[in-house]
Amino acid sequence: MSMRQSQSELKIARQQVMARTQILQNLIPPTVSYTTQGHVLIIGPEDLARLAADSLSTMASRVVLANESITSQDEAHLEKVMNAAEGVDSFYNKLKSIKGFLGQFQVSVESDAGGVAELSVVAIRQAHFDIILDLSSTPCINLEMLPAGYFYVGQDANKLADAIEQIPDLVGEFDKPRYVKVNSDICAHHRNGINGCNRCLNFCPADAISSIEQKIEIDPYLCHGAGSCTNLCPTGAISYDLPTPKSLHSYLEKLISRYRAEAQVAPVILFHDNILGSELITDTLSGDVLPVAMEEITVASIDHWLAALAHGAREVLVLNTDATAPTLTQMLQGELTLANRILDEMGQPQRLRLISASDLATLEQPLAISTTWPVIVPMTVITDAGASNAKRDILYQAIDHLNSQAGAIQTQLALPNVPYGQVKLNVDKCTLCMSCVSTCPTQALKDGGESPALRFVEQDCVQCGLCESSCPESVISLVPQINFDQQSRQGVTTLKEEAPFECIRCGSAFATQSMVHKMVEMVGAHSAFSANIERLKMCGDCRVKDMFEDILQDPEKQLR
């Protein structure tokens, strides 16, 4: 920190810069709508459920599903329960499943006949319940992020009071953002009947992502905008819409450059969520820390973190709170470890941290350690309008820029299970059938055009495994790594090339040498070809001509 700048001066600079720097948002963001009439299902011990139902007398209907024993045998308590919620029916059927969201809850129970029945149809002659209040000892829906309209309160009196206050307001039509979008054209999940990348499916805390007919689908009604899918997607097929990745990158670049110019200090970027995290951000925050509010802290990903450093931030912090689902915290820790490992390899200190609320009060000492590592010349992002994976392009630009101002290494860092790396080929057994090229979602694998060849661009490879799984000869293997040699990583590498095989009759090229040799080896001894093995060395047209000439010379040959 400059000795000329006091905390008050830095805070003034921060205030001025943040006031004139805004994230560009879609003026008419895409939304989804929930419609409810106020039909409530209350699940739990019958005594507690009926008392809760009594407090929701203004709702369109109330139904109790008693799934646990009465909590108290006290006579006064039981009398109160008996007088509560008159006209509300109690059901005792075993709960089978709950699916849906606000306005569309499907609740299946075991019917009296032993089958499965929809409780809403039986109880209120409706296709669904609108709201569920769950007083069970453990949640009936086991998710870290529960669907809208589902209130799990257990036997917590404060949570119950909050839910009873909120539920009557949930009647009508409600809009919420459609947080993310999917570009199936560049998705690496499934190609040509082969399963590939499943990274987004493994980390959604709301269970809003599914594979339907081999395509990734995100249910916008279940999605909370957690951002784990966009964070982990290696191709950028899943992208956040509020803000878009591009607008967030632009905002960070402007915020950092303007603060550096105003305060003559390299700032610290602090990502936080816009609810609990925002409540923790006060004016006591050090003047060189620039808070950036997100829907969830996982909206900003590794490309944003490293680009922020390359733009001139000296450190990037991510504020974790109790609002962050454990799955998201786990994912963040893994990605931050990877990013810090990249910095460490090039000779930079690890300047990316996940911090807690208690760390906010003691930031100054750790921040002082990083003051010697702001970039000298900030990176200017070069965008390619035709690039299919801008996320990856910006990430590697940031890595290369940071590397140029540190060790300038050209080595490869081997790391397991990362979506970066090489494709290795068993050249002797590859016939250049190009199955791998047709399944590669990012065009990291390319054909040779006019000549038989297989070419590869490492920077575009997301290690999805589609090429490996689709290879009929099993000659492809993956090597996950971070390659710091920009030239070799971005260059086109020829994995294999060979001269084309020319038809022995007309001389036209029609296949690869290795393909024809393999055909001769595999089927040449078959009775259909044993007498005419030379036909395998002909193009399709010449093969047909040869067959007809043979028949004309001996018309009865085909009958024998």
Side-chain angles (χ1 to χ4, degrees):
M1 184 183 300
S2 170
M3 295 300 292
R4 295 171 294 174
Q5 300 281 40
S6 67
Q7 271 295 320
S8 61
E9 290 173 321
L10 292 176
K11 288 178 180 180
I12 292 171
R14 175 175 66 194
Q15 182 180 13
Q16 292 175 342
V17 168
M18 296 194 73
R20 69 175 193 263
T21 310
Q22 304 294 327
I23 297 180
L24 294 177
Q25 301 279 24
N26 190 341
L27 295 178
I28 308 177
T31 60
V32 294
S33 297
Y34 300 100
T35 302
T36 77
Q37 295 176 325
H39 299 291
V40 184
L41 174 65
I42 305 156
I43 307 175
E46 186 175 12
D47 56 335
L48 300 182
R50 294 195 71 82
L51 292 173
D54 196 57
S55 299
L56 294 169
S57 58
T58 61
M59 304 306 292
S61 72
R62 297 158 292 162
V63 174
V64 169
L65 178 60
N67 67 341
E68 294 179 12
S69 302
I70 291 174
T71 61
S72 172
Q73 297 294 332
D74 178 74
E75 289 186 13
H77 173 73
L78 293 177
E79 184 176 353
K80 185 178 179 182
V81 170
M82 290 179 64
N83 294 326
E86 292 183 9
V88 172
D89 291 329
S90 291
F91 292 82
Y92 307 93
N93 309 65
K94 183 179 179 181
L95 178 64
K96 302 295 288 185
S97 68
I98 299 177
K99 297 179 181 177
F101 42 81
L102 179 65
Q104 292 287 337
F105 282 110
Q106 306 286 333
V107 181
S108 301
V109 296
E110 195 174 276
S111 69
D112 296 335
V116 176
E118 290 298 321
L119 183 58
S120 61
V121 175
V122 174
I124 56 173
R125 297 183 181 179
Q126 296 286 331
H128 48 73
F129 291 107
D130 295 315
I131 300 161
I132 294 179
L133 176 60
D134 188 356
L135 291 82
S136 310
S137 54
T138 57
C140 294
I141 297 181
N142 186 25
L143 291 173
E144 292 177 354
M145 288 186 162
L146 297 169
Y150 176 87
F151 294 82
Y152 177 69
V153 302
Q155 295 180 19
D156 186 314
N158 291 329
K159 288 183 179 179
L160 176 60
D162 288 342
I164 288 174
E165 183 180 352
Q166 293 178 51
I167 287 172
D169 295 330
L170 294 178
V171 178
E173 188 168 317
F174 306 91
D175 292 337
K176 78 164 207 176
R178 186 184 290 265
Y179 293 106
V180 297
K181 54 187 176 183
V182 183
N183 180 357
S184 297
D185 292 340
I186 59 172
C187 178
H189 171 57
H190 202 277
R191 290 289 174 103
N192 300 349
I194 306 295
N195 188 58
C197 174
N198 295 305
R199 290 168 67 86
C200 62
L201 288 167
N202 297 333
F203 278 93
C204 180
D207 200 25
I209 306 177
S210 54
S211 176
I212 299 176
E213 296 182 353
Q214 289 77 55
K215 284 190 175 182
I216 291 296
E217 300 281 354
I218 298 178
D219 188 331
Y221 293 95
L222 293 176
C223 176
H224 282 256
S228 55
C229 54
T230 63
N231 199 302
L232 289 169
C233 180
T235 67
I238 304 179
S239 61
Y240 216 82
D241 208 40
L242 291 167
T244 64
K246 182 179 179 180
S247 61
L248 180 54
H249 274 295
S250 176
Y251 173 73
L252 290 171
E253 189 275 329
K254 290 177 182 176
L255 190 67
I256 294 165
S257 63
R258 288 173 181 175
Y259 184 86
R260 283 170 61 107
E262 184 76 27
Q264 299 299 304
V265 170
V268 172
I269 294 296
L270 171 61
F271 291 108
H272 64 89
D273 72 87
N274 61 13
I275 300 177
L276 283 185
S278 291
E279 293 174 2
L280 295 168
I281 304 300
T282 67
D283 192 52
T284 61
L285 190 67
S286 181
D288 49 354
V289 179
L290 308 182
V292 178
M294 303 275 95
E295 184 75 24
E296 295 282 348
I297 53 175
T298 39
V299 171
S301 51
I302 188 171
D303 53 311
H304 296 105
W305 305 334
L306 290 177
L309 295 180
H311 286 314
R314 70 176 196 269
E315 192 167 8
V316 171
L317 309 175
V318 182
L319 177 59
N320 202 17
T321 69
D322 293 339
T324 306
T327 292
L328 299 185
T329 300
Q330 177 190 352
M331 186 274 290
L332 269 177
Q333 288 170 334
E335 289 293 283
L336 285 165
T337 298
L338 169 61
N340 277 318
R341 185 71 182 86
I342 291 170
L343 291 174
D344 189 56
E345 185 72 11
M346 65 177 69
Q348 291 211 23
Q350 299 188 1
R351 296 186 284 141
L352 303 162
R353 288 193 293 140
L354 187 65
I355 65 170
S356 65
S358 60
D359 295 324
L360 283 175
T362 58
L363 277 183
E364 288 191 11
Q365 185 176 355
L367 295 180
I369 297 173
S370 69
T371 56
T372 57
W373 271 98
V375 297
I376 300 169
V377 180
M379 172 183 74
T380 300
V381 174
I382 301 172
T383 56
D384 180 358
S388 61
N389 195 342
K391 174 179 179 177
R392 178 160 297 229
D393 287 348
I394 293 176
L395 170 65
Y396 275 122
Q397 284 183 53
I399 289 174
D400 292 337
H401 189 81
L402 292 167
N403 184 29
S404 71
Q405 301 196 17
I409 60 173
Q410 294 183 323
T411 55
Q412 292 75 43
L413 173 61
L415 293 168
N417 304 317
V418 296
Y420 319 98
Q422 280 193 333
V423 165
K424 291 293 186 182
L425 191 69
N426 184 334
V427 177
D428 295 336
K429 294 183 178 181
C430 174
T431 62
L432 292 176
C433 70
M434 299 302 162
S435 293
C436 55
V437 173
S438 66
T439 57
C440 181
T442 62
Q443 298 184 318
L445 288 166
K446 309 171 187 291
D447 62 33
E450 296 298 322
S451 61
L454 178 60
R455 300 197 164 95
F456 175 66
V457 179
E458 180 175 351
Q459 181 157 311
D460 295 335
C461 178
V462 297
Q463 299 283 292
C464 63
L466 285 169
C467 58
E468 186 178 27
S469 299
S470 65
C471 179
E473 287 124 4
S474 300
V475 297
I476 289 178
S477 59
L478 304 179
V479 182
Q481 65 179 27
I482 303 292
N483 187 354
F484 291 94
D485 185 346
Q486 180 181 0
Q487 186 173 351
S488 69
R489 189 188 68 237
Q490 293 180 341
V492 179
T493 302
T494 299
L495 300 181
K496 179 175 180 175
E497 63 181 340
E498 59 183 49
F501 190 94
E502 297 176 350
C503 174
I504 59 174
R505 180 167 173 159
C506 70
S508 64
F510 73 95
T512 64
Q513 296 272 352
S514 53
M515 180 67 77
V516 173
H517 294 155
K518 187 168 185 176
M519 283 197 306
V520 171
E521 180 184 334
M522 291 181 66
V523 302
H526 193 279
S527 58
F529 291 97
S530 56
N532 300 284
I533 195 170
E534 293 303 297
R535 283 182 186 154
L536 293 174
K537 302 176 184 178
M538 298 179 189
C539 67
D541 291 341
C542 291
R543 193 175 302 148
V544 171
K545 291 176 184 177
D546 189 67
M547 290 172 64
F548 274 99
E549 288 173 359
D550 204 15
I551 292 171
L552 288 173
Q553 291 175 7
D554 185 359
E556 296 183 1
K557 184 175 182 179
Q558 61 182 324
L559 302 176
R560 293 199 292 267

